[in-house]
C-alpha cells in the first residue's frame, strides 16, 4: 500500500480590485478564486493596507515623492482609521454644513457629492507620513514641515489610481490653498480648481482641526476657533461668504 500525503486545500485568496462607498459605509471590492466579485467590510485593517499598497504600486510618482524626501513607504493603518473615524469624518460634517448655508448661486459652482467625497478623503496622504512627524508633541521644524506638507499631494497621487472624478482629486490636492494662492502645493498657471470648493474644504478642515485636542495643544472653543479664522478673512485668505456660512453652521450645530 502506498500512502499519499493529502493535498492541502487551496486557500481562497481574494484579489483586491478597489473600494467603494455605499450609504456612508466603505467596502473593498474583491474577486475570489472562482472569479466571483464580492464586497468585504472596509474596516478590515489588512485590506486597508493592501489597498493603499495597491495604489502605491499603480503609481510610480508616489515612490518618487517618498524617495525625494527619504521616507520609507510604511503604511500606517492605525492613523488611517483614526483619521477616517475622527478628523476626516468631522471635516465632512462641517464642509456639508458650510455648503448647506451658502447661497443657491454659490452652491451651483460645485456639487454636494464632490464636497462630501473630497472632505472624507482629503487627508488620506497622511497614511504615508512618518508617525514621529505626524504625532510629534511639539512644533515641527522646517524639514518636518516640508514633509508634512506633501500629504495633500500624496493623497492626490494615491487617489488618482481609483475611479474618482477630477474635481474631487483637485480638492484633495489643494485643500491647503487659499484665495491669495499662498498655500500649498503651488497652483499651476494652467490649472484652476474650483475656488469655492477649495474654500469649503480648506475652511472646514481648519475649523474641525481647531476644535480637536491635539498632542501639542488643547481643544479650542467655537468662539476661539471662529476668531482665528476671521483673521484669515481679513487677510484675504478665506472668502467672506464661506466664513459666514461656517458661522451660521457652528451657531446652529456646534454649541
Amino acid at each position: 500500500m502506498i500512502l499519499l500525503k493529502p493535498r492541502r486545500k487551496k486557500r481562497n485568496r481574494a484579489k483586491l480590485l478597489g473600494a467603494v462607498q455605499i450609504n456612508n459605509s466603505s467596502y473593498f471590492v474583491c474577486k475570489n478564486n472562482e472569479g466571483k466579485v464580492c464586497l468585504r467590510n472596509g474596516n478590515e485593517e489588512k485590506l486597508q493596507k493592501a489597498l493603499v499598497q495597491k495604489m502605491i504600486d499603480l503609481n510610480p510618482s508616489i515612490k518618487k515623492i517618498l524617495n525625494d524626501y527619504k521616507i520609507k513607504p510604511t503604511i500606517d493603518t492605525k492613523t488611517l482609521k483614526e483619521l477616517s473615524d475622527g478628523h476626516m469624518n468631522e471635516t465632512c460634517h462641517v464642509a456639508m454644513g458650510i455648503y448647506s448655508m451658502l447661497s443657491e448661486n454659490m452652491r451651483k459652482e460645485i456639487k454636494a457629492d464632490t464636497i462630501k467625497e473630497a472632505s472624507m478623503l482629503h487627508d488620506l496622504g497622511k497614511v504615508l507620513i512618518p508617525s514621529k512627524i505626524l504625532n510629534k508633541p511639539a512644533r515641527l521644524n522646517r524639514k518636518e514641515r516640508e514633509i508634512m506638507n506633501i500629504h495633500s499631494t500624496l493623497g492626490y497621487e494615491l487617489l488618482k489610481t481609483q475611479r474618482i472624478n477630477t474635481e474631487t482629486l483637485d480638492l484633495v490636492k489643494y485643500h491647503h490653498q487659499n484665495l491669495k494662492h499662498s498655500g500649498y502645493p503651488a497652483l499651476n498657471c494652467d490649472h484652476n480648481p474650483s475656488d469655492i470648493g477649495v474654500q469649503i474644504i480648506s475652511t472646514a478642515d481648519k475649523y474641525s482641526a481647531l476644535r480637536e485636542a491635539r498632542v501639542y495643544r488643547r481643544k479650542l472653543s467655537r468662539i476661539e476657533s471662529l476668531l482665528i479664522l476671521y483673521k484669515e478673512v481679513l487677510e484675504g485668505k478665506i472668502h467672506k461668504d464661506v466664513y459666514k456660512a461656517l458661522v451660521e453652521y457652528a451657531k446652529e450645530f456646534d454649541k
Side-chain angles (χ1 to χ4, degrees), residues 4 30 64 94 105:
L4 297 176
C30 303
K64 184 181 184 308
V94 177
N105 283 338

Side-chain angles (χ1 to χ4, degrees), residues 13-42:
R13 292 184 179 275
K15 182 180 179 182
L16 184 62
L17 302 179
V20 294
Q21 190 162 348
I22 303 172
N23 296 331
N24 296 324
S25 295
S26 298
Y27 298 91
F28 292 103
V29 183
C30 303
K31 184 184 284 188
N32 62 23
N33 289 338
E34 297 171 353
K36 292 181 179 178
V37 175
C38 56
L39 296 180
R40 289 173 64 174
N41 192 304

Side-chain angles (χ1 to χ4, degrees), residues 37-87:
V37 175
C38 56
L39 296 180
R40 289 173 64 174
N41 192 304
N43 290 325
E44 290 186 40
E45 190 172 306
K46 285 184 179 179
L47 280 176
Q48 287 179 343
K49 197 167 184 175
L51 180 60
V52 176
Q53 186 60 57
K54 185 181 177 72
M55 292 176 183
I56 294 171
D57 294 341
L58 287 171
N59 188 350
S61 296
I62 297 171
K63 289 182 180 178
K64 184 181 184 308
I65 294 169
L66 296 175
N67 286 335
D68 287 346
Y69 285 89
K70 297 180 173 60
I71 300 172
K72 186 180 178 182
T74 53
I75 302 165
D76 190 346
T77 49
K78 180 184 176 185
T79 294
L80 180 59
K81 180 166 174 36
E82 288 173 353
L83 284 168
S84 58
D85 290 348
H87 176 69

Side-chain angles (χ1 to χ4, degrees), residues 9-171:
K9 286 186 178 180
K10 196 173 182 181
R11 289 181 66 186
N12 186 15
R13 292 184 179 275
K15 182 180 179 182
L16 184 62
L17 302 179
V20 294
Q21 190 162 348
I22 303 172
N23 296 331
N24 296 324
S25 295
S26 298
Y27 298 91
F28 292 103
V29 183
C30 303
K31 184 184 284 188
N32 62 23
N33 289 338
E34 297 171 353
K36 292 181 179 178
V37 175
C38 56
L39 296 180
R40 289 173 64 174
N41 192 304
N43 290 325
E44 290 186 40
E45 190 172 306
K46 285 184 179 179
L47 280 176
Q48 287 179 343
K49 197 167 184 175
L51 180 60
V52 176
Q53 186 60 57
K54 185 181 177 72
M55 292 176 183
I56 294 171
D57 294 341
L58 287 171
N59 188 350
S61 296
I62 297 171
K63 289 182 180 178
K64 184 181 184 308
I65 294 169
L66 296 175
N67 286 335
D68 287 346
Y69 285 89
K70 297 180 173 60
I71 300 172
K72 186 180 178 182
T74 53
I75 302 165
D76 190 346
T77 49
K78 180 184 176 185
T79 294
L80 180 59
K81 180 166 174 36
E82 288 173 353
L83 284 168
S84 58
D85 290 348
H87 176 69
M88 291 198 288
N89 189 50
E90 184 56 32
T91 298
C92 181
H93 286 307
V94 177
M96 295 308 294
I98 292 173
Y99 184 84
S100 69
M101 297 292 179
L102 289 172
S103 68
E104 186 177 348
N105 283 338
M106 291 186 78
R107 289 200 304 272
K108 285 180 181 177
E109 294 185 35
I110 189 89
K111 292 179 180 177
D113 286 349
T114 301
I115 293 295
K116 185 175 183 179
E117 187 172 42
S119 56
M120 277 302 300
L121 296 170
H122 76 283
D123 269 349
L124 177 65
K126 285 184 177 177
V127 74
L128 295 177
I129 300 297
S131 58
K132 66 180 182 180
I133 293 176
L134 200 61
N135 301 314
K136 184 178 178 179
R139 188 181 294 275
L140 301 180
N141 61 38
R142 184 183 62 80
K143 185 62 179 176
E144 291 168 337
R145 175 51 60 188
E146 285 180 9
I147 291 173
M148 178 67 87
N149 287 358
I150 65 171
H151 77 272
S152 50
T153 301
L154 286 172
Y156 168 80
E157 295 293 346
L158 286 167
L159 293 166
K160 265 173 67 175
T161 65
Q162 305 299 299
R163 294 176 181 176
I164 293 177
N165 68 65
T166 304
E167 275 189 308
T168 298
L169 290 174
D170 282 346
L171 296 187

